[in-house]
Amino acid sequence: MIATARLILRPWRDADRAPFATINRDPAVTRWLGGPKDAADSDAMIERQRAMQADRGHCFWAVERRDDSRLIGFCGLRIGGHAGTPVHDELEIGWRFAADCWGQGYAREAAEACIAWGFANTDRNRIVAWTVPGNAPSWGLMLRLGMTPRPQLDFDHPQFASDHPLCRHVVYAIDRAG
């Protein structure tokens, strides 16, 4: 669906279930996401992405490497964050990659392609991303993508208690050029 020099971003397949579950079981991958997920949670996420793709024409797409067809994570776009927060109706870019794929530029390559696709194929004037303040690799990528902090959109994640270390989320955005 979207091809880059090293990656293919595409809709989810049933064959993605086992490798995606492996990614989601990794404590390093899920450190800033509330911890490891079981296979049922991973499968449910795939089904939500499939539904979004069918409904809106985009989702957090499966990302596979072109050279070996390995599923290495996801990257894509979705509408709507969390009800009752400033991001509830924003176009969000998100990513998650297997830990052994970190530091190789895959997330940036995929995210740049998704941002370009989002501005070419939606009428949204900005694309946002969020993470917790401690997740420096994630917000560092946001900065490298040309995103800037948008503190007026920062929010407390409804999944976590107000005193939980993963409650506060910082939001970055990139605006449509011109």
Side-chain angles (χ1 to χ4, degrees):
M1 184 174 153
I2 298 174
T4 68
R6 300 179 296 161
L7 306 171
I8 297 172
L9 287 72
R10 58 164 175 76
W12 291 88
R13 302 175 184 149
D14 285 340
D16 297 327
R17 291 180 187 280
F20 189 54
T22 298
I23 292 168
N24 284 327
R25 274 195 305 269
D26 186 335
V29 171
T30 60
R31 174 181 178 192
W32 305 108
L33 302 169
K37 310 293 182 232
D38 64 22
D41 289 335
S42 289
D43 287 350
M45 185 172 180
I46 288 173
E47 291 310 313
R48 286 191 303 273
Q49 299 315 305
R50 285 176 160 173
M52 278 186 239
Q53 179 70 35
D55 184 49
R56 298 187 180 267
H58 56 82
C59 66
F60 289 164
W61 293 298
V63 176
E64 70 177 51
R65 279 195 306 226
R66 291 175 74 146
D67 65 355
D68 63 3
S69 300
R70 176 185 166 202
L71 177 81
I72 62 170
F74 73 71
C75 187
L77 302 163
R78 71 175 183 175
I79 300 284
H82 308 286
T85 71
V87 297
H88 76 279
D89 193 39
E90 295 284 345
L91 181 61
E92 176 196 6
I93 185 168
W95 51 80
R96 183 178 310 169
F97 286 87
D100 68 326
C101 295
W102 295 353
Q104 298 175 49
Y106 293 130
R108 184 173 184 173
E109 185 175 330
E112 286 174 341
C114 288
I115 289 169
W117 188 96
F119 286 135
N121 292 282
T122 74
D123 62 356
R124 296 298 179 117
N125 288 321
R126 70 178 170 198
I127 297 173
V128 302
W130 53 81
T131 189
V132 296
N135 189 355
S138 191
W139 57 256
L141 175 56
M142 294 171 198
L143 290 171
R144 289 189 299 281
L145 291 168
M147 302 180 96
T148 58
R150 304 295 169 93
Q152 71 277 15
L153 297 174
D154 292 355
F155 65 97
D156 290 340
H157 197 295
Q159 179 182 337
F160 300 103
S162 61
D163 61 346
H164 193 282
L166 298 180
C167 180
R168 191 68 181 159
H169 277 61
V170 292
V171 179
Y172 289 69
I174 187 167
D175 296 314
R176 181 184 294 273

